[in-house]
Amino acid sequence: MAVSWSGAKTGDNVLDVCCGSGDLSFLLSEQVGSQGKVIGLDFSKNQLSMASSRQDLVSKACYEKIEWVEGDALDLPFSDCFFDAITMGYGLRNVVDKRKALEESFRVLKPGSRISVLDFNKSTQPFTTAIQEWMIDNVVVPVASGYGLAEEYQYLKSSIREFLTGKDLEKLALEIGFSRAKHYELSGGLMGNLVATR
C-alpha cells in the first residue's frame, strides 16, 4: 500500500528514504520497472550493505536499476524537484527532526508528486495503544531476541509514544507546503501511512 500510495509508475525516478535493507526499494523497482530508477538512501552502511547483498541474490532486470546511497534524511544529496515519488518506511519516527526530514522530501519531490510514509501509528485510542505495546513486548522483542536483535527493538514503545499522531502528521505536512495530506490507519490502528502531495 505504501508503494501504491506513492503514485510511482513505470519509468519514474523514485526515492526510498531511510531504506534500511531495501524492502520498499525492491517493491518500488517492480513498480517503476527497468525503465525507471530507484534510489535507496540510508545513513547506515550496514543496512545498505545488506540491501546490496539482497539485490545480488535476485536477478530481476528492474533490480539492476536500484542505486544505494549513504546519506542523511535531513540533508538529502539531490537537487530540487528531482523525484517523481518518495517512500519512507519506519524512518520518520526515528529521525531527530521530523519537520526537517519532511521539508527535505518536499524539496526534492516534483510538483504534483507524492510521498508515502509508512510507520507505526501513535493511536489516540487507549485500547489500540495497549494492544500495540503488548505485541511489542510479547511478539516483536521476543522474536527479535531469537535473532540477537533485542536491543535494537527495545526502543520501539518509547519511540512510538514520542511520535506524532496521524492528525499531527497531516498538519505538519500542510504547514511545510504539501497541498494535500491524509493519514491512513492500518492493521486496526497499529500502523499508519501518511500520503502527502506536493
Side-chain angles (χ1 to χ4, degrees):
M1 291 175 87
V3 169
S4 177
W5 279 332
S6 76
K9 58 191 179 308
T10 303
D12 277 355
N13 180 37
V14 299
L15 174 65
D16 182 20
V17 180
C18 303
C19 69
S21 60
D23 290 344
L24 289 179
S25 299
F26 291 115
L27 292 171
L28 279 167
S29 73
E30 292 174 13
Q31 191 83 6
V32 302
S34 56
Q35 300 84 17
K37 174 151 182 148
V38 175
I39 295 179
L41 177 132
D42 204 280
F43 72 92
S44 169
K45 283 183 183 180
N46 290 341
Q47 288 290 316
L48 292 171
S49 176
M50 190 180 310
S52 180
S53 296
R54 291 178 64 199
Q55 183 179 18
D56 294 339
L57 291 174
V58 180
S59 59
K60 279 191 174 183
C62 60
Y63 288 1
E64 294 171 16
K65 299 289 186 161
I66 304 174
E67 178 185 349
W68 307 108
V69 174
E70 185 179 351
D72 185 352
L74 305 181
D75 186 21
L76 295 173
F78 308 108
S79 59
D80 295 358
C81 305
F82 191 73
F83 293 102
D84 298 298
I86 297 176
T87 58
M88 184 186 299
Y90 302 98
L92 187 60
R93 180 177 37 84
N94 294 317
V95 297
V96 293
D97 188 339
K98 289 150 189 55
R99 174 180 288 277
K100 180 65 175 163
L102 283 176
E103 286 173 345
E104 275 294 280
S105 290
F106 179 85
R107 180 183 66 77
V108 302
L109 195 59
K110 292 179 181 176
S113 297
R114 294 190 299 240
I115 182 171
S116 178
V117 181
L118 174 67
D119 215 314
F120 286 97
N121 182 46
K122 180 179 179 178
S123 179
T124 58
Q125 303 299 317
F127 182 70
T128 303
T129 301
I131 290 173
Q132 188 176 54
E133 291 188 354
W134 182 89
M135 289 187 69
I136 289 168
D137 288 339
N138 296 286
V139 179
V140 176
V141 173
V143 169
S145 296
Y147 291 96
L149 300 171
E151 284 185 35
E152 285 85 341
Y153 288 88
Q154 289 290 346
Y155 77 101
L156 276 179
K157 285 197 312 191
S158 62
S159 72
I160 294 167
R161 278 190 213 114
E162 295 167 13
F163 196 37
L164 301 171
T165 65
K167 290 292 180 203
D168 290 336
L169 286 168
E170 290 174 351
K171 182 179 174 192
L172 178 60
L174 293 172
E175 286 173 2
I176 288 167
F178 287 95
S179 62
R180 288 188 308 273
K182 176 73 177 155
H183 184 268
Y184 299 93
E185 289 192 355
L186 310 170
S187 301
L190 301 177
M191 302 294 162
N193 201 108
L194 172 69
V195 181
T197 304
R198 176 162 187 204

